[in-house]
Amino acid sequence: MVDCDSESFVLGIDLGTTSIKVSLVRNSNRDVIESYRIDTRAYNSGERSNFAEQDVVKIFACLQHVLAQFSPHFLAKVARIGICGQMHGCVMWKGETCSLSRGGDHFIQSDNVSHLITWEDGRCDNEFLGTLPPARTNIPVSTGFGCASMFWLQRNDPSFLERFDCAGTIMDYVVCVFCEMRKPCMSTHNAVSWGYFDVNHMTWELNILKKANFPTQLLPVVVQPGTIVGKLQKSLYGIPVGTPVGVGLGDFQCSLLASISQESDAVLNIGTSCQLAVVIPANTNSVATGESSFQTSKMPSKAVTILPFFHGQKVMTAASLSGGNILATFVKMLTSWMRDLGLEESLPCTDEIYRRILACADEKGATSLQVVPTLWGERHSPDQRGQVNNLTSGNISLGDVGLGLCRGVIENIQEMMTRDFLHLHGVRQIVCAGSALMRNQVLQKQVEQVFELPLVLNELADASIGAAIVTLLERN
């Protein structure tokens, strides 16, 4: 544990795809003292339809707003800061400009930083990806991966890249601003999610990248998750100068850390996207779970990858691009239809639309409607598209469609890492994580039905809390 008194705290920041959540955790017992969340609404709508970019200035403004909600008395006793967030994404900046302006009440200037190209970005189509050099890692490079995005920029807008001397995830940039670092550090969580990183040897695949004219000078230094990489250089809403700051972490791993309670747990995280995972112990090729074991050489499907976790452990992971974004897209569609029908004046708010959809779906209970929710394909099958099957005149109600969408999300992830695989290897329960799953009872019921395992709700299964816990476990 951190060497500080019982009234010290750790601040955990989660820079998610659609929202920011910050939690203040007591050092002595990990109690959550205060926690606040805000939707960022940072997407840049002016880009081409296959682009997914966010305004970094808006993200910082939202972070500023959230931090202002906390009690100054508690912030003055923050002993460490942990930061996690959306993986794969890429942002570029000028290292010499990384600082908190005017004591933190104005963070950054847009001229010194690019937009954030998120994991949802689709500019690197299959034809473009086919021109990239093969990586040696077990994770194929996909569109939305940091290295793929930078390859695209190098080939399509090289003068843009020349404006910057640093690149990283949004978390890496925030850490650099807080600590006024000229060169970013990146955790293995995010390096692996960028592609072309050999986690076993802790090195970028520089020979491959240089031969392909990749701008390797922009790549961050990679360190182990949990490493303290700097100290806060200016007071931030009362957080003391000199407060240690940890390297940026993956929100998925942090959510998993806060969720899991025993080796026989699987964790299902549904936020904007969806991940199902099981932790593999350090220094082993299998996972002991009762009478069976996970053999990492026998992957359940090509959709499953092995990612770094903490302290030498790894995570067997099925990651889907389809999660809470499916219901969000359905809500947008309904809203658009109602406007087209001239019903804009009576249009309910978004939260009310969600409530009505889920109420109808819950009341329905079962449906013969079958929905394949892969509107954006999947990383292992980018050409896959969504489908609606078994459509009849009797299953087209709002409840049927809402239930079909929820069940489709769960069935889709179950096809990647099947219930038979989990049952065979001793998984006894699934722990619920992620805001979309925690707040959706219809999704929760479908998890238990599809996987035939109990679902456990864990209120602490939150990435911002996980980011805080990591710093409590480190002494560096």
Side-chain angles (χ1 to χ4, degrees), residues 242-316:
T243 299
V245 180
V247 68
L249 306 168
D251 54 358
F252 166 63
Q253 283 93 337
C254 286
S255 179
L256 186 62
L257 179 68
S259 305
I260 199 164
S261 60
Q262 53 194 11
E263 285 188 353
S264 58
D265 286 350
V267 177
L268 179 61
N269 181 78
I270 306 181
T272 304
S273 57
C274 177
Q275 301 90 20
L276 177 61
V278 179
V279 173
I280 303 170
N283 303 318
T284 182
N285 290 321
S286 65
V287 178
T289 51
E291 298 179 356
S292 262
S293 66
F294 283 104
Q295 299 296 327
T296 60
S297 61
K298 298 180 180 180
M299 305 293 279
S301 78
K302 63 181 180 179
V304 174
T305 57
I306 296 177
L307 301 176
F309 191 46
F310 296 100
H311 305 294
Q313 294 177 310
K314 296 180 181 179
V315 184
M316 187 176 291

Side-chain angles (χ1 to χ4, degrees), residues 75-379:
L75 292 184
K77 296 184 178 182
V78 168
R80 290 198 178 187
I81 299 173
I83 300 176
C84 70
Q86 51 175 300
M87 301 159 67
H88 306 290
C90 177
V91 60
M92 290 138 286
W93 66 91
K94 299 176 183 177
E96 64 182 12
T97 66
C98 280
S99 65
L100 287 170
S101 301
R102 299 203 304 271
D105 57 356
H106 180 70
F107 282 152
I108 58 173
Q109 295 180 352
S110 59
D111 293 342
N112 300 323
V113 61
S114 72
H115 282 156
L116 165 63
I117 303 174
T118 79
W119 61 271
E120 299 170 301
D121 193 81
R123 73 188 70 190
C124 299
D125 57 20
N126 285 343
E127 181 179 357
F128 179 83
L129 291 171
T131 69
L132 301 184
R136 290 195 295 264
T137 67
N138 73 317
I139 303 176
V141 178
S142 299
T143 187
F145 281 31
C147 283
S149 298
M150 291 174 68
F151 262 125
W152 190 95
L153 290 170
Q154 179 67 20
R155 297 180 182 182
N156 292 276
D157 195 0
S159 61
F160 177 77
L161 280 180
E162 292 173 0
R163 294 170 47 193
F164 309 105
D165 56 12
C166 296
T169 66
I170 184 62
M171 302 81 75
D172 303 324
Y173 180 56
V174 171
V175 171
C176 280
V177 171
F178 281 7
C179 302
E180 297 188 2
M181 297 166 58
R182 293 292 299 270
K183 185 72 175 177
C185 289
M186 176 182 278
S187 69
T188 56
H189 293 173
N190 296 316
V192 168
S193 75
W194 264 33
Y196 297 102
F197 182 78
D198 183 346
V199 71
N200 293 320
H201 295 92
M202 287 292 291
T203 181
W204 296 103
E205 297 180 352
L206 292 178
N207 290 337
I208 293 175
L209 294 172
K210 287 178 178 178
K211 288 180 181 178
N213 199 31
F214 182 90
T216 55
Q217 72 278 6
L218 297 178
L219 290 173
V221 175
V222 180
V223 299
Q224 293 290 349
T227 301
I228 299 298
V229 293
K231 295 182 179 181
L232 190 66
Q233 294 300 302
K234 293 186 176 71
S235 178
L236 179 65
Y237 292 91
I239 301 173
V241 173
T243 299
V245 180
V247 68
L249 306 168
D251 54 358
F252 166 63
Q253 283 93 337
C254 286
S255 179
L256 186 62
L257 179 68
S259 305
I260 199 164
S261 60
Q262 53 194 11
E263 285 188 353
S264 58
D265 286 350
V267 177
L268 179 61
N269 181 78
I270 306 181
T272 304
S273 57
C274 177
Q275 301 90 20
L276 177 61
V278 179
V279 173
I280 303 170
N283 303 318
T284 182
N285 290 321
S286 65
V287 178
T289 51
E291 298 179 356
S292 262
S293 66
F294 283 104
Q295 299 296 327
T296 60
S297 61
K298 298 180 180 180
M299 305 293 279
S301 78
K302 63 181 180 179
V304 174
T305 57
I306 296 177
L307 301 176
F309 191 46
F310 296 100
H311 305 294
Q313 294 177 310
K314 296 180 181 179
V315 184
M316 187 176 291
T317 309
S320 170
L321 299 178
S322 304
N325 50 8
I326 296 298
L327 282 171
T329 301
F330 182 53
V331 169
K332 289 179 182 177
M333 184 192 75
L334 292 177
T335 302
S336 175
W337 284 6
M338 285 186 277
R339 288 196 177 108
D340 291 343
L341 291 168
L343 302 175
E344 188 165 2
E345 291 185 0
S346 58
L347 186 65
C349 68
T350 299
D351 288 345
E352 178 62 15
I353 295 174
Y354 271 106
R355 190 194 67 77
R356 294 185 188 183
I357 292 171
L358 296 179
C360 291
D362 196 29
E363 183 178 354
K364 193 74 182 178
T367 181
S368 58
L369 188 69
Q370 299 171 348
V371 179
V372 179
T374 50
L375 303 185
W376 305 277
E378 296 291 5
R379 292 193 179 101

